[in-house]
Amino acid sequence: MTAKQKKTLLRIIISAALLIVLRFVPVDGYLKLGLYLLPYALIGYDVLIRAVKGIISGQVFDENFLMAIATVGAMALESYSEGVEVMLFYQIGELFQSYAVGRSRRSISALMDIRPDFANVERDGDLVSVDPDEVSVGDVIIIRPGERVPLDGTVIDGESSLNTAALTGESLPRSVKAGDEVVSGSVNVSGLLKVRVSRIFEESTVSRILELVENSSLKKAKAENFITRFAHYYTPAVCLMALALAVLPPLFVGGFRQWLMRALSFLVISCPCALVISIPLTFFGGIGGASRSGILVKGGNYLEAMSEARTIVFDKTGTLTEGVFAVRQIQTAPGVDAEDLVVRAALCESYSNHPISQSLRARAEGHRLDVNRVTDVEELAGCGITARLDGQPMAVGNARLMKLLQIDVPTAQAQGTIIYVARGGKYEGMIVISDAVKATSRPALDALRKQGVKTVMLTGDSRTAAAQVADQLGIEETHAELLPQDKVDRLEDMLRNKQGAVCFVGDGINDAPVLSRADIGIAMGGVGSDAAIEAADIVLMDDDPRKISLAMRISHRCLRIVHENIAFALTVKAVCLVLGALGITGMQMAIFADVGVMILAVLNATRALTSMR
Ligand code: ADP
Ligand code: MG
């Protein structure tokens, strides 16, 4: 509990005790009022002050105003004990609420406790701890076992395993050695690592994740906005009803005091506290619970939309497949050496981060790759690369690229993706590469289909390569040989004819436009991929497509809780309004119900925080 909460608790205890004592004090008239004003002022002074401030600033219909009017009214009608009790219950509710919200905030920041405190750098032969902010790109940092990786970088010395659970939800440690990338926020488990920093702290994974989670509450879900709007009309409406109740019936049946009391309990009931607090808390909890499983959601609106997803469109390479191609076959034109062909292709691919280029470079490992020989590199998304090698024009890419450059190539029947290589405008050979479907893809798609989702695949790869993957995974609809722009067009088609939300899942390479165009863009392999984190609405911290159906389930649970709370709170309020109007229940009952509903609703909302599998 914070100091402020402790103070409120003390006020509650003292005024409750005073209230009990006063029951046994036989006084009347002004003395009685004076005595009851003691606990009333003690428990209610802040509410009264805020109510006055609200009136001055023109924001009349807030809960402070309602509580102030109702209790002052009760005091004026000589229902002293009722006035104090209502204020007392109200404060108990407020205390509970601030405690619950504080707790869930803390538990989210605890599970997002990935912020590193320091980085070890070598200065003049000594190891010193500095603020991660002070380290620049290219600096070498030392990460001892048990320490958190403070900045993104590449291992230059040492071997260890990293625990990335806080980032990806994946409990299996990842082993790293010299040459491997490490991401900030993970924990070095076993060995000493020397790491060359590749990104300053502000741009490192950990900072971006924290920023994303902290900003997520700004993007409100429809349900949240609904409640704000609802409260906007509901509160004044109930106030009007209260006024009518106070004025109209007495004109006909008399009993002014009694009707005024009923009207005041209307005001108490009109407080929409339970909803106003529990709904944002639910989304907050849902987002927090999701991030614990390695799913970063950029806002309550996206979490909400996830439950409406009916079509999920996948990119192929790197999303459904490993994105790691192996060279299967090399065919060359007469007089061309296969190894030379690979080296030339790899050289042209030097600057690309496409999975294909990485695999070609991997295949050429062991050969000397002098990048100074390569100039004028141009990457044509969805086609391949053109460049100059030792001054000669080169082209490395698919049939589309060759057609574009009007280079004749032999037709090939091969299992996999064919990369043609041409030099000086002439076909030199082809490299057949193939990629493996992720082991997790099939279960992921099966789970989605069970949730009533249609699966679609869009790819820039050839029809044969696409059909192979689609068969293996049972994908309902496949479109192949698409340029990035074609992918956007296909998606637009689907958005026009959609039922429910359309979601696009990609790895961020060549598909940022589609990611941002979809109702919900989901990026895979968020760790380290800048474009993906920027363009997507949801980022999966590891490459596991099964997280998509998990995100849907989290979303469903969140909305179920929200709906439960709305239905529950409105029902109780409606019942209280009727009973209050009939004079069956009084003001205490109204506040009791209100605080009770709020406590139950908040407890229900905190269920969203627990993680799901
Ligand atoms: P996907 O939609 O499967 O992710 P891309 O749009 O990234 O595929 O690429 C589509 C096709 O374009 C690839 O299958 C390949 O034939 C060709 N291509 C793209 N980039 C390159 C590259 N850097 N080198 C060679 N070929 C490439
Ligand atoms: Mg791709």
Side-chain angles (χ1 to χ4, degrees), residues 309-312 448-455 476 552:
R310 289 292 164 273
T311 310
I312 299 191
L448 286 173
R449 278 187 285 260
K450 230 182 257 157
Q451 284 167 288
V453 168
K454 178 180 168 193
T455 53
E476 279 117 302
M552 280 186 78

Side-chain angles (χ1 to χ4, degrees), residues 22 25-39 80:
L22 284 178
V25 180
V27 282
D28 254 322
Y30 286 120
L31 186 60
K32 186 169 179 188
L33 172 65
L35 285 177
Y36 271 96
L37 276 180
L38 285 175
Y80 304 131

Side-chain angles (χ1 to χ4, degrees), residues 469-508:
V469 174
D471 274 355
Q472 266 186 60
L473 297 176
I475 288 172
E476 279 117 302
E477 192 181 318
T478 307
H479 303 278
E481 297 178 13
L482 303 172
L483 293 174
Q485 182 53 43
D486 302 333
K487 291 189 188 176
V488 176
D489 293 344
R490 294 285 165 175
L491 192 83
E492 303 257 344
D493 281 346
M494 285 180 243
L495 286 169
R496 262 194 298 278
N497 308 319
K498 70 177 175 184
Q499 290 166 316
V502 178
C503 172
F504 179 83
V505 192
D507 60 353

Side-chain angles (χ1 to χ4, degrees), residues 315 317 487 507 509 511:
D315 175 48
T317 315
K487 291 189 188 176
D507 60 353
I509 294 175
D511 48 26

Side-chain angles (χ1 to χ4, degrees), residues 104 108 280-290 303 557-558 605-606 608-610:
S104 65
I108 285 176
L281 193 66
T282 309
F283 281 104
F284 195 63
I287 290 173
L303 188 61
R557 180 179 65 174
C558 224
T606 51
L609 201 70
T610 54

Side-chain angles (χ1 to χ4, degrees), residues 21-232:
V21 171
L22 284 178
R23 292 222 157 180
F24 302 103
V25 180
V27 282
D28 254 322
Y30 286 120
L31 186 60
K32 186 169 179 188
L33 172 65
L35 285 177
Y36 271 96
L37 276 180
L38 285 175
Y40 180 67
L42 175 67
I43 195 68
Y45 72 88
D46 51 346
V47 174
L48 296 173
I49 292 172
R50 282 199 296 267
V52 172
K53 279 188 184 157
I55 295 171
I56 292 170
S57 65
Q59 286 173 321
V60 177
F61 290 111
D62 69 350
E63 52 199 29
N64 296 304
F65 170 78
L66 296 172
M67 284 303 136
I69 293 284
T71 55
V72 169
M75 300 300 272
L77 291 173
E78 293 175 33
S79 302
Y80 304 131
S81 160
E82 262 168 318
V84 182
E85 277 166 29
V86 166
M87 201 55 108
L88 189 65
F89 273 123
Y90 178 71
Q91 292 285 23
I92 291 175
E94 289 293 291
L95 175 66
F96 174 79
Q97 167 189 322
S98 97
Y99 182 69
V101 171
R103 252 194 59 159
S104 65
R105 264 190 207 285
R106 260 197 310 285
S107 63
I108 285 176
S109 46
L111 59 94
M112 288 322 288
D113 186 18
I114 48 177
R115 190 187 293 282
D117 302 322
F118 60 89
N120 304 316
V121 288
E122 249 174 27
R123 295 260 159 93
D124 312 321
D126 278 336
L127 205 60
V128 285
S129 288
V130 299
D131 198 294
D133 259 336
E134 293 169 24
V135 184
S136 13
V137 172
D139 283 359
V140 174
I141 55 172
I142 312 278
I143 306 158
R144 288 178 290 229
E147 288 180 354
R148 199 173 285 284
V149 177
L151 300 112
D152 295 357
T154 315
V155 179
I156 52 175
D157 193 32
E159 239 175 77
S160 180
S161 53
L162 293 181
N163 179 350
T164 59
L167 298 173
T168 62
E170 175 59 67
S171 48
L172 229 61
R174 219 183 83 204
S175 58
V176 289
K177 55 180 189 317
D180 288 344
E181 307 256 321
V182 293
V183 288
S184 51
S186 50
V187 175
N188 183 8
V189 181
S190 44
L192 189 82
L193 288 176
K194 236 184 201 185
V195 168
R196 188 179 303 285
V197 173
S198 61
R199 285 202 191 93
I200 57 167
F201 182 63
E202 217 172 275
E203 288 165 12
S204 276
T205 306
V206 66
S207 303
R208 289 203 312 241
I209 291 174
L210 288 170
E211 192 186 289
L212 208 144
V213 173
E214 277 157 16
N215 290 336
S216 65
S217 56
L218 297 177
K219 295 209 173 121
K220 295 220 183 319
K222 274 185 279 176
E224 282 176 79
N225 290 326
F226 161 74
I227 280 310
T228 320
R229 260 182 295 132
F230 177 77
H232 198 79

Side-chain angles (χ1 to χ4, degrees), residues 315-317 349 352 354 356-357 379-385 396-398 417-419 458-462 482 484 487 509-510:
D315 175 48
K316 179 178 74 77
T317 315
E349 298 274 6
S352 168
H354 197 279
I356 289 180
S357 74
E379 179 154 8
L380 297 130
C383 296
I385 303 267
V396 181
N398 54 17
T417 302
I418 301 167
I419 303 298
L458 300 183
T459 177
D461 208 345
S462 68
L482 303 172
K487 291 189 188 176
I509 294 175
N510 283 353

